[in-house]
């Protein structure tokens, strides 16, 4: 069993499984439910969804179908962009719990720092939103709160008024898209980097160099990239709706990528796309 932990500890002391099951672009209903159930059966204990994915109900159904004890799972959801007010944070979070069929979530994130609707008053909107999220922590409805797609200036603004510190920044991270400065700054501020699109939303499968390296290790491209993410100290959130691939993506704890190959993967600049600009998103 080579060198990476299967669970990590966030800055507020709670443990988090080091690989999460991503559900972005997973359709709601049977597909979401089946894939979440398959993921839990395969051994995932960390499920990542979002209000904006529109699949919280299917994800919740999958959790129930798996029959797993709630206490064994780590469930994340995220506040969608139109909801950055105190009231809407509270009411939409309540709806998320209802859709998921849960009475708490482990992690709740602000999905984007600067929604179109709050383009000119995003600092104030995030301050209000965060206050609502802190109260939900106080009420026992959320175990940890964090950020997604936040850059340094968004983090700094939020930290000016935050009573509870964010413990995660979920950003796009895959070979060739490493956002080094942001990762370092997030860590300095006490946040663990989570990697969404760890397979470059599928684009990494077209990169010959990655395929050749995966062959050398006797592993698939997906396994190599997920392993790279773990060795980088990220929490990868690979998405799949296919039972075989779901299993494959968790089978990454039995090999180690050499330092030289880690550098090669890291240096494949934007081979599977770059990071979004969160100050200019069209939603
Ligand atoms: P599918 O859901 O049909 O398996 P990311 O996690 O970076 O967003 O990438 C998700 C994309 O990669 C999806 O298109 C998913 O398709 C595909 N994918 C996930 N795991 C694998 C795998 N092990 N092999 C091939 N494609 C995969």
């Amino acid at each position: 069993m080579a060198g990476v932990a299967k669970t990590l500890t966030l800055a507020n002391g709670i443990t988090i499984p080091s690989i999460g099951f991503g559900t972005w672009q997973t359709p709601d209903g049977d597909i979401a439910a089946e894939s979440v159930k398959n993921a839990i059966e395969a051994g995932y204990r960390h499920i990542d969804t979002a209000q904006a994915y529109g699949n919280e109900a299917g994800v919740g159904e999958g959790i129930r179908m798996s029959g797993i004890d709630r206490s064994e799972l780590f469930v994340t959801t995220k506040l969608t962009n139109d909801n950055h007010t105190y009231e809407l944070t509270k009411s939409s979070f309540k709806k998320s719990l209802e859709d998921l069929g849960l009475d708490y979530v482990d992690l709740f994130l602000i999905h984007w720092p600067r929604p179109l609707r709050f383009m000119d008053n995003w600092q104030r909107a995030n301050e209000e939103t965060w206050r609502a999220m802190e109260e939900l922590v106080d009420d026992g409805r959320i175990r940890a709160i964090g950020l997604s797609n936040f850059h340094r200036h968004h983090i700094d603004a939020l930290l000016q008024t935050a009573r509870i510190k964010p413990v995660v920044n979920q950003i796009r991270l895959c070979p060739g898209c490493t956002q080094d400065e942001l990762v370092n700054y997030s860590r300095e501020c006490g946040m663990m980097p989570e990697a969404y699109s760890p397979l470059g939303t599928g684009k990494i499968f077209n990169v010959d160099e990655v395929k050749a390296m995966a062959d050398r290790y006797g592993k698939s491209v997906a396994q190599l990239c997920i392993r790279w993410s773990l060795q980088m100290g990220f929490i990868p959130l690979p998405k799949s709706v296919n039972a075989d691939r779901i299993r494959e993506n968790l089978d990454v704890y039995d090999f180690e990528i050499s330092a030289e190959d880690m550098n090669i993967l890291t240096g494949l600049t934007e081979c599977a796309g770059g990071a979004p600009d969160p100050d200019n998103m069209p939603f």
Side-chain angles (χ1 to χ4, degrees):
M1 192 72 72
V4 294
K6 287 193 173 179
T7 59
L8 299 164
T9 303
L10 298 173
N12 69 347
I14 74 171
T15 55
I16 181 168
S18 61
I19 298 177
F21 183 61
T23 65
W24 179 37
Q25 295 179 330
T26 296
D28 197 21
D30 291 349
I31 295 182
E34 275 296 320
S35 56
V36 166
K37 176 178 145 287
N38 287 334
I40 294 169
E41 281 174 358
Y44 292 78
R45 292 294 176 266
H46 171 177
I47 316 286
D48 183 277
T49 181
Q51 294 173 349
Y53 300 170
N55 60 16
E56 288 171 310
V59 167
E61 179 63 19
I63 292 172
R64 280 187 298 285
M65 280 159 58
S66 77
I68 195 162
D69 195 272
R70 170 68 183 94
S71 62
E72 287 187 40
L73 274 190
F74 188 103
V75 179
T76 301
T77 193
K78 315 183 190 79
L79 184 80
T80 202
N81 273 13
D82 279 348
N83 290 341
H84 286 216
T85 71
Y86 176 87
E87 290 302 332
L88 287 171
T89 300
K90 290 269 177 102
S91 58
S92 70
F93 178 75
K94 188 162 173 274
K95 171 87 167 51
S96 287
L97 284 187
E98 284 164 12
D99 286 349
L100 285 162
L102 301 176
D103 54 15
Y104 70 93
V105 297
D106 297 275
L107 181 63
F108 191 48
L109 307 178
I110 301 183
H111 206 151
W112 291 91
R114 192 173 181 180
L116 209 49
R117 181 175 169 194
F118 303 99
M119 192 47 83
D120 299 325
N121 61 340
W122 58 270
Q123 297 95 330
R124 185 63 211 273
N126 289 345
E127 179 183 338
E128 271 190 41
T129 290
W130 197 254
R131 185 161 55 83
M133 289 166 67
E134 290 171 331
E135 289 178 12
L136 290 163
V137 173
D138 295 341
D139 294 345
R141 299 289 167 194
I142 306 176
R143 296 177 70 220
I145 47 181
L147 309 174
S148 182
N149 296 298
F150 272 54
H151 281 187
R152 179 190 275 259
H153 58 290
H154 309 118
I155 297 168
D156 287 344
L158 187 112
L159 290 180
Q160 280 183 20
T161 53
R163 170 170 61 86
I164 300 177
K165 296 270 192 295
V167 291
V168 155
N169 195 10
Q170 184 179 127
I171 57 179
R172 190 176 194 280
L173 295 166
C174 64
C177 175
T178 51
Q179 306 207 58
D180 299 333
E181 276 186 31
L182 180 55
V183 164
N184 289 339
Y185 192 61
S186 298
R187 288 193 172 122
E188 273 171 41
C189 295
M191 288 183 275
M192 184 119 20
E194 288 190 332
Y196 73 75
S197 303
L199 312 175
T201 54
K203 293 197 196 86
I204 204 78
F205 298 106
N206 302 323
V207 184
D208 292 342
E209 220 166 335
V210 178
K211 175 72 181 113
M213 190 186 292
D215 288 348
R216 260 204 285 123
Y217 283 91
K219 285 286 178 177
S220 71
V221 166
Q223 289 167 332
L224 185 76
C225 294
I226 293 164
R227 180 72 201 189
W228 171 87
S229 203
L230 291 174
Q231 290 184 214
M232 292 293 284
F234 308 151
I235 297 177
L237 306 167
K239 171 266 178 189
S240 180
V241 294
N242 174 285
D244 291 336
R245 295 197 281 268
I246 287 170
R247 272 193 295 277
E248 175 189 322
N249 294 350
L250 207 54
D251 181 16
V252 295
Y253 291 101
D254 63 347
F255 75 114
E256 181 122 24
I257 305 172
S258 71
E260 192 186 339
D261 288 335
M262 285 296 291
N263 285 337
I264 292 172
L265 290 172
T266 299
L268 294 172
T269 309
E270 300 205 355
C271 66
D277 172 4
D279 281 316
N280 287 294
M281 300 307 288
F283 45 75

